[in-house]
Amino acid sequence: MRKEKKNHLDEEAVLLLNKGKRGFFRLIFGRTTVVVLLLAAQFGLLFLGFYRLRDYTVYGGSMLLGLIVALIVINRPRNPYIKITWILLIMLFPVFAIPFYFYVDAEWGHRLVRARLEEIGQETSGLLPQGEEARRTLEEADPGAAGLASYLRRMGDFPVWQNSGADYYPTGEKAFSAILEELEAAQTFIFMEYFIIREGYMWGRILNVLERKAKEGVEVRVLYDGTCALFDLPYHYPRQLEELGIRCRMCAPLKPLVSTHYNNRDHRKILVVDGRCAFTGGINLSDEYINRTHPHGHWKDVAIRVTGEAVKSFTLMFLQMWNAADRGMEDCTRYLAASVPAEASGWVVPYGDSPFNGENIAEMVYMDILNRAKTYVHIMTPYLIIDHEMVVALTFAAKRGVDVKLITPGVPDKRTVFALTRSYYKELIANGVEIYEYTPGFVHAKTFVSDGVTAVAGSINLDYRSLYLHFECAALLYRAPAVEAIEADFQETLADCRRITLEDCRRDKLTRRMIGWVLRPLAPLM
């Protein structure tokens, strides 16, 4: 047994070494280096131009211009915290910040993407009509929950479904086993949309199944975020998968041209198999998510599998993003017709969020749960970088007597982000919110569970990027059995956590407190 274990560790070490070598040579000699250098050159030229403008400005004139632009910012319909960040930059560095603000505000990089998504939204509108029975029974069971479901229907065309089940997986390892099982059973189509795909054991196992299924005639599509994959996969990786019979696209691949659209990443995690089941959650396709590697201690993540008619919502979300990346439009009805009812109790509302919705749907769902909670709201999130409204919602719930608990990482993946996360602790704890850090490692789960009846599991962090800038997805559950499983997992995870007190906040490292203090005004831009 010891010999087998040693051989396994040796094999894993060799794999990691080879993977590191490939990544190093790809980084130094690949297209990634060229793209990064060209982008850096363009940013350099932009800032050099801004710098030269200093010679043609008078201090008083630049201050007056800064004041005018600050008034413009104040009167734009934006989150007040984001306005404060821009005003601070404009008043401190007017020559640099003013042109940069108008460049970002013009949204030149966003316009084509926004127009394309709006066109696709119009084409697919009405494909998922709201079932009257599901709407009526939810209204009778809980008017408040029905109101939230109605909001999601109105804002994003996301119906509430009955006849749909939900299974919860409290670890990446368990979710991975379930994913492999479902992939092996695929007969007609497999749709995969992920933020991160990284070569290694996990993706290798999945790719092996996908290749076999493609040869058997199963339609396989893979969509991943282009910018995030810049350092993980070759630029022409989609072509490699196409040679295996797998259709593949990158969402907004990074190109050697400065653009604001790189700020909006496809952070969704969606897997749909045959229209009969769909997975979502925090798990990407990389070895740390199943603890094959340990860059930040034990990796705590979760996933949820939806079955029944609610799968249609995830299928349509995938097809909308696929067609945006593919620059085409197809008939989605045959894929939606594949989903069939499942015998299950409760209601399920799969939903997505986009930076172009005009409203922060993901944040509204979280705040609605906090505002309607009666006994408890328990949250797991890897990051805690929030605006004033979310701080108020968390503290107001606690002041009403609701048991508000948050689990955050004990081992950070990004030290500056961790310092920023900790900068919110003192205010929240002082107002009754309990915060716990997961001592074995890094928590990447994104879950809300409240009062034993409502829960959310998906890809949405409690930070500005998820709530304002990324494409996201999740499943809202009401009185489904999985709600109890999510709460049970929270309590089990809580046993491995250390409660943070006000004294801990005061004794925190001075350097970390200073980093959080400095970065806090810039949080919306991070």
Side-chain angles (χ1 to χ4, degrees):
M1 181 65 73
R2 288 183 178 178
K3 186 176 181 181
E4 288 179 3
K5 185 175 181 181
K6 182 178 184 300
N7 289 338
H8 170 74
L9 292 174
D10 290 344
E11 289 174 6
E12 189 171 288
V14 171
L15 283 172
L16 288 172
L17 181 62
N18 291 336
K19 179 181 174 183
K21 288 180 179 178
R22 290 197 304 271
F24 174 77
F25 284 110
R26 184 185 299 150
L27 177 63
I28 299 300
F29 301 107
R31 182 180 183 280
T32 296
T33 302
V34 176
V35 170
V36 171
L37 289 176
L38 287 173
L39 286 173
Q42 290 176 71
F43 274 113
L45 289 172
L46 283 173
F47 280 99
L48 180 62
F50 298 161
Y51 182 78
R52 288 295 177 91
L53 285 174
R54 292 193 318 166
D55 300 334
Y56 303 97
T57 58
V58 179
Y59 178 75
S62 64
M63 289 295 292
L64 178 62
L65 180 60
L67 178 61
I68 293 171
V69 176
L71 290 172
I72 292 173
V73 172
I74 290 171
N75 285 279
R76 292 285 172 87
R78 269 192 175 149
N79 180 284
Y81 204 7
I82 296 176
K83 292 180 183 181
I84 291 171
T85 300
W86 276 115
I87 291 169
L88 178 64
L89 293 175
I90 287 167
M91 299 309 293
L92 288 176
F93 313 105
V95 174
F96 294 96
I98 291 172
F100 189 60
Y101 169 76
F102 283 112
Y103 174 75
V104 173
D105 194 60
E107 294 187 334
W108 291 322
H110 296 155
R111 289 183 180 181
L112 290 176
V113 180
R114 183 195 297 269
R116 180 71 188 124
L117 288 170
E118 287 177 353
E119 179 187 356
I120 291 171
Q122 292 172 0
E123 290 284 338
T124 57
S125 178
L127 290 181
L128 299 179
Q130 176 59 68
E132 179 58 28
E133 179 70 12
R135 186 205 62 78
R136 182 184 60 79
T137 55
L138 181 57
E139 176 71 34
E140 292 173 354
D142 188 332
L148 178 57
S150 177
Y151 167 80
L152 289 171
R153 176 65 179 171
R154 183 179 299 111
M155 294 305 303
D157 207 20
F158 304 117
V160 55
W161 302 95
Q162 283 183 302
N163 305 316
S164 299
D167 298 304
Y168 179 72
Y169 301 94
T171 66
E173 295 88 326
K174 291 181 178 180
F176 182 44
S177 296
I179 286 171
L180 288 176
E181 184 179 338
E182 294 292 357
L183 291 175
E184 291 284 3
Q187 297 181 351
T188 55
F189 66 87
I190 297 170
F191 295 158
M192 305 186 76
E193 179 182 350
Y194 282 88
F195 183 52
I196 294 174
I197 295 178
R198 190 173 291 134
E199 292 178 319
Y201 174 82
M202 184 181 189
W203 175 237
R205 288 285 306 276
I206 290 174
L207 184 58
N208 179 267
V209 179
L210 298 182
E211 183 180 0
R212 283 193 288 105
K213 287 297 173 179
K215 290 177 180 178
E216 293 171 8
V218 175
E219 181 183 359
V220 182
R221 302 192 200 184
V222 175
L223 176 66
Y224 63 90
D225 184 74
T227 299
C228 193
L230 183 66
F231 298 101
D232 295 324
L233 296 172
Y235 183 77
H236 297 293
Y237 196 67
R239 188 185 304 168
Q240 296 180 26
L241 294 191
E242 297 277 352
E243 292 173 356
L244 300 177
I246 300 168
R247 298 179 66 188
C248 183
R249 298 290 182 272
M250 281 191 285
C251 180
L254 191 65
K255 297 180 180 179
L257 181 65
V258 172
S259 174
T260 54
H261 87 276
Y262 300 136
N263 207 28
N264 305 123
R265 309 315 318 157
D266 184 2
H267 193 246
R268 295 176 177 177
K269 289 88 176 169
I270 296 176
L271 165 62
V272 181
V273 180
D274 293 346
R276 59 180 171 75
C277 72
F279 288 83
T280 191
I283 297 167
N284 285 297
L285 307 182
S286 182
D287 287 353
E288 63 267 30
Y289 293 85
I290 57 172
N291 285 290
R292 294 283 296 191
T293 58
H294 303 278
H296 312 293
H298 183 268
W299 193 284
K300 165 64 180 177
D301 219 326
V302 305
I304 192 167
R305 179 181 63 178
V306 173
T307 56
E309 292 184 312
V311 176
K312 293 179 184 180
S313 293
F314 283 115
T315 303
L316 187 58
M317 276 189 268
F318 171 87
L319 289 170
Q320 288 170 335
M321 191 64 77
W322 174 274
N323 283 287
D326 198 43
R327 299 180 183 178
M329 193 60 227
E330 63 186 308
D331 181 9
C332 302
T333 54
R334 65 189 183 97
Y335 300 104
L336 300 177
S339 298
V340 297
E343 291 187 8
S345 60
W347 294 262
V348 181
V349 189
Y351 65 96
D353 199 2
S354 160
F356 310 129
N357 279 335
E359 188 162 332
N360 307 309
I361 294 174
E363 185 175 37
M364 293 300 103
V365 172
Y366 284 163
M367 291 178 67
D368 184 82
I369 292 172
L370 285 163
N371 290 333
R372 289 192 298 109
K374 296 177 180 178
T375 57
Y376 73 83
V377 179
H378 294 159
I379 302 164
M380 283 195 278
T381 180
Y383 313 115
L384 186 64
I385 306 172
I386 49 180
D387 59 16
H388 178 68
E389 286 79 2
M390 183 59 72
V391 171
V392 170
L394 288 164
T395 56
F396 178 59
K399 290 174 182 178
R400 290 192 293 112
V402 176
D403 174 30
V404 182
K405 288 186 172 73
L406 284 82
I407 294 178
T408 61
V411 179
D413 65 335
K414 305 175 187 71
R415 294 192 180 278
T416 53
V417 175
F418 185 63
L420 194 50
T421 290
R422 279 199 154 212
S423 72
Y424 290 87
Y425 283 7
K426 187 175 180 180
E427 181 179 4
L428 293 174
I429 293 170
N431 286 281
V433 177
E434 296 181 20
I435 298 178
Y436 298 79
E437 289 185 348
Y438 181 65
T439 54
F442 185 69
V443 167
H444 193 253
K446 308 98 167 39
T447 61
F448 263 60
V449 59
S450 176
D451 296 349
V453 294
T454 306
V456 171
S459 66
I460 307 164
N461 300 318
L462 269 179
D463 67 1
Y464 278 95
R465 300 210 65 81
S466 276
L467 299 177
Y468 289 88
L469 299 174
H470 285 167
F471 294 93
E472 302 283 358
C473 67
L476 171 66
L477 310 176
Y478 184 74
R479 292 189 179 176
V483 174
E484 295 181 4
I486 295 173
E487 171 60 13
D489 179 46
F490 182 91
Q491 295 298 334
E492 186 174 338
T493 306
L494 197 65
D496 291 324
C497 295
R498 178 177 73 93
R499 183 173 178 177
I500 305 300
T501 65
L502 287 175
E503 183 61 27
D504 292 323
C505 295
R506 286 189 284 267
R507 291 185 305 185
D508 200 7
K509 294 179 181 178
L510 179 61
T511 53
R512 185 154 55 200
R513 281 185 285 156
M514 291 296 295
I515 291 171
W517 185 75
V518 170
L519 293 181
R520 185 79 172 264
L522 303 177
L525 302 182
M526 292 186 65

